[in-house]
Amino acid sequence: LLGVTPDFNRPTDPRFTPRSSLAQTAFSDGFPLLLISNESLADLNARLPPSSPPLLMDRFRPNIVLAGAPRPFAEDTWRRITIGDQVMEVVK
């Protein structure tokens, strides 16, 4: 179990969040959200040796999983996504 004090401050990397210099994260690897598409995972699994079991999505611990991307890894080129009325910048 891990805890942090209320005054704990872990800013995101400013090289990738120049307009959001106050962005912070806590337990994630570097940013609060991780985005991945089903198409990217399917492509990755297709590249594994036949003797390897397929990788499951939870192995990558994404917060947002998308279906229907136009091609594998398309999300790597996106700069902004909208979910409902929330617009989010994709920074890395």
Side-chain angles (χ1 to χ4, degrees), residues 25-84:
T25 188
F27 299 116
S28 57
D29 293 332
F31 292 91
L33 296 174
L34 177 60
L35 170 72
I36 190 171
S37 71
N38 288 324
E39 291 75 18
S40 296
L41 182 62
D43 183 84
L44 177 62
N45 279 321
R47 296 168 191 247
L48 295 176
S51 59
S52 296
L55 298 172
L56 301 176
M57 189 65 76
D58 63 356
R59 168 124 184 212
F60 300 98
R61 302 182 309 141
N63 306 90
I64 301 172
V65 178
L66 303 165
R71 65 187 180 287
F73 308 104
E75 64 271 24
D76 291 346
T77 65
W78 298 343
R79 296 291 148 235
R80 185 172 291 131
I81 62 167
T82 303
I83 300 175

